[in-house]
């Protein structure tokens, strides 16, 4: 989504009283290394939780949300055991608690929450914003679900180290599209050329769907080819096979199998499609850390496209977290919400590739998820009536970062990781 959201971003950002003192203190090398760093992080986190709690209730008052859940459970209206969870937020908090290379500035995060809420209100940002972009589907039917499925099946790795005029780009409707929009433009162009790119039967047909045909679908108006073309073909093959064997060649049957639960649909994707199983081991934890970026954004895009109705109706949509990629961490750092250790900062500044699943990369992604969750909580704390969740905050921040990029206002580069996960 590249709709320009606000042009006053740099001015408004400079007006925010963003304190970096706490962040610098957590990232500065200490005599006792990791131990003191963890203490500083926990002190900062405790101060943030304490301040937000005091703004609403005293320590001896019961949490009304917890009481409501308990009341529903006792009345038989809520069976917590039957409600699916993705585990993404839990894993993100664990990495944040144990992170030594990425830290959050709690004061900047609270300031960012106020700023983001104000801008989203001014722009009337909602699920309806999703369909406003000229390349997103406008119909609300099964063909749209199929389009969104392949869109997020292949929604990964568009960054380039080449200059803007030389990077992979797609010419479509008299415009040049880069990044995520180059993918959407390619898919729309293929459909106009009568290529059945959204049909799982096409994906498993090795004679019709192969590297040569995909090079045509994703042909660039520059000399650079779309990254990871072979990996995209592999994703198509696997997805087509799974849909054929288990879901009668239609992703709508996956949605039906999730029984109206966004978390269940995310879990289904991670269980049945290995190309959506975005999870890694992290030191000190037996269970893997789950990010599930593309699985989550697939559910979110369906929710946004259908405005929370029909195929997009999910009772637990707020369980979806921010989508851990490279753009949202970039703007969170620009806002002063997150900061990096000197070695990690140097890698990002030099635009060196950070390995997928490495400790650096997992800290970047997990701390970004947790930061957006804290922003969401802060907004809801001050505006309980606000219809805002991590999805809308993520969409908003992504749009904002892309607008800044288009205007040449990036103050720092994003991290570089080449993978199928984002």
């Amino acid at each position: 989504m590249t709709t320009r959201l606000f042009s006053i971003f740099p001015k408004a950002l400079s007006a925010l009283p963003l304190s970096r003192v706490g962040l610098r203190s957590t990232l500065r090398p200490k005599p006792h290394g990791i131990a003191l760093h963890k203490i500083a992080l926990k002190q900062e986190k405790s101060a943030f939780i304490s301040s937000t709690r005091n703004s609403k209730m005293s320590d001896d008052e019961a949490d009304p949300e917890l009481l409501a859940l308990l009341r529903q459970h006792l009345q038989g209206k809520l069976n917590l055991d039957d409600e699916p969870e993705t585990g993404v937020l839990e894993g993100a908090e664990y990495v944040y608690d144990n992170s030594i290379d990425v830290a959050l500035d709690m004061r900047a995060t609270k300031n960012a929450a106020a700023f983001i809420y104000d801008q989203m209100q001014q722009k009337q940002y909602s699920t309806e914003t999703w369909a406003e972009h000229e390349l997103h589907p406008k119909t609300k039917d099964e063909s749209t679900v199929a389009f969104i499925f392949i869109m997020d099946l292949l929604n990964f790795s568009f960054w380039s180290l080449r200059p803007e005029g030389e990077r992979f780009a797609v010419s479509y409707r008299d415009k040049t599209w880069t990044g995520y929009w180059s993918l959407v433009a390619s898919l729309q162009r293929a459909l106009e050329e009568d290529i059945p790119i959204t049909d799982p039967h096409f994906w498993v047909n090795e004679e019709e769907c192969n590297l040569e045909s995909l090079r045509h679908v994703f042909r660039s108006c520059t000399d650079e080819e779309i990254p990871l073309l072979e990996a995209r073909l592999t994703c198509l093959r696997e997805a087509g096979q799974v849909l054929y064997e288990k879901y009668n060649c239609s992703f709508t049957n996956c949605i039906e199998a999730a029984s109206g639960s966004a978390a269940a649909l995310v879990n289904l994707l991670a269980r049945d499609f290995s190309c959506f199983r975005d999870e890694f081991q992290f030191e000190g934890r037996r269970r893997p850390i789950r990010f599930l970026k593309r699985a989550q954004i697939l559910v979110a895009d369906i929710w946004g496209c259908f405005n929370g109705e029909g195929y997009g109706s999910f009772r637990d949509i707020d369980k979806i977290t921010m989508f851990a990629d490279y753009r949202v961490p970039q703007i969170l750092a620009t806002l002063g919400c997150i900061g990096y250790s000197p070695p990690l900062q140097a890698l990002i500044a030099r635009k060196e590739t950070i390995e997928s699943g490495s400790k650096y990369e997992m800290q970047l992604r997990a701390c970004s998820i947790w930061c957006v969750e804290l922003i969401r909580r802060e907004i809801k704390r001050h505006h309980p009536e606000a219809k805002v969740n991590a999805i809308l905050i993520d969409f908003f921040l992504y749009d904002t970062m892309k607008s800044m990029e288009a205007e040449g206002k990036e103050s720092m580069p994003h991290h570089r990781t080449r993978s199928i996960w984002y």
Side-chain angles (χ1 to χ4, degrees), residues 85-362:
E85 300 288 342
T86 67
V88 174
L89 191 61
E90 174 196 0
E93 184 179 17
Y94 178 86
V95 175
Y96 163 70
D97 284 339
N98 293 275
S99 174
I100 61 174
D101 295 292
V102 182
L104 304 191
D105 185 317
M106 295 306 179
R107 183 176 176 185
T109 299
K110 294 176 76 171
N111 288 333
F115 175 68
I116 290 167
Y117 175 76
D118 178 66
Q119 291 296 320
M120 291 180 73
Q121 290 298 109
Q122 288 185 35
K123 303 299 178 181
Q124 297 182 328
Y125 209 83
S126 69
T127 54
E128 295 180 358
T129 309
W130 191 94
E132 291 177 0
H133 196 281
E134 63 178 291
L135 292 186
H136 274 159
K138 301 299 183 288
T139 57
K140 311 290 183 183
D141 54 25
E142 188 170 346
S143 68
T144 303
V145 173
F147 187 92
I148 293 173
F149 180 75
I150 187 175
M151 183 180 78
D152 286 320
L153 177 66
L154 304 180
N155 183 5
F156 55 83
S157 201
F158 303 105
W159 60 267
S160 173
L161 292 176
R162 296 191 183 187
E164 186 64 25
E166 299 177 13
R167 64 179 294 188
F168 168 72
V170 172
S171 179
Y172 177 64
R173 293 183 183 175
D174 299 322
K175 293 183 181 179
T176 300
W177 307 93
T178 60
Y180 160 75
W181 293 114
S182 65
L183 168 69
V184 185
S186 295
L187 297 176
Q188 293 285 19
R189 182 177 62 185
L191 290 175
E192 290 181 4
E193 295 173 348
D194 294 325
I195 300 173
I197 193 63
T198 61
D199 186 350
H201 294 94
F202 175 71
W203 308 340
V204 297
N205 188 324
E206 296 184 7
E207 292 184 2
E208 294 185 5
C209 183
N210 47 49
L211 285 176
E212 183 180 355
S213 60
L214 285 191
R215 283 194 180 94
H216 175 74
V217 169
F218 298 111
R219 61 190 182 275
S220 176
C221 58
T222 70
D223 291 334
E224 185 176 39
E225 184 177 83
I226 188 172
L228 301 180
L229 182 64
E230 293 187 13
R232 295 177 199 277
L233 177 59
T234 301
C235 289
L236 287 173
R237 287 271 193 269
E238 186 214 356
Q241 193 67 31
V242 172
L243 289 177
Y244 178 80
E245 293 177 354
K246 295 186 176 183
Y247 297 103
N248 198 25
C249 286
S250 176
F251 184 66
T252 57
N253 292 325
C254 296
I255 297 175
E256 183 178 346
S259 301
S261 168
L265 185 53
V266 168
N267 290 339
L268 179 152
L269 286 163
R271 181 194 68 204
D272 292 345
F273 301 81
S274 64
C275 59
F276 280 106
R277 201 174 303 139
D278 178 12
E279 57 185 35
F280 298 91
Q281 293 297 139
F282 191 80
E283 182 181 356
R285 179 178 159 109
R286 184 173 59 183
R287 286 175 295 149
I289 301 297
R290 308 185 91 197
F291 296 103
L292 306 181
K293 185 264 184 179
R294 289 191 296 107
Q296 289 203 107
I297 202 171
L298 170 54
V299 176
D301 281 340
I302 292 173
W303 174 70
C305 175
F306 289 88
N307 203 24
E309 300 175 352
Y311 290 120
S313 177
F314 300 105
R315 65 179 178 275
D316 57 352
I317 193 63
D318 289 348
K319 289 183 179 179
I320 303 300
T321 71
M322 161 266 187
F323 318 118
D325 61 1
Y326 44 84
R327 283 301 183 184
V328 175
Q330 182 186 23
I331 193 169
L332 291 174
T334 302
L335 284 164
C337 299
I338 63 176
Y340 310 131
S341 65
L344 178 55
Q345 179 70 54
L347 279 177
I348 296 173
R350 293 195 300 265
K351 299 182 180 181
E352 294 187 14
T353 300
I354 298 175
E355 183 180 354
S356 176
S358 67
K359 197 168 184 179
Y360 276 156
E361 192 240 9
M362 292 181 70

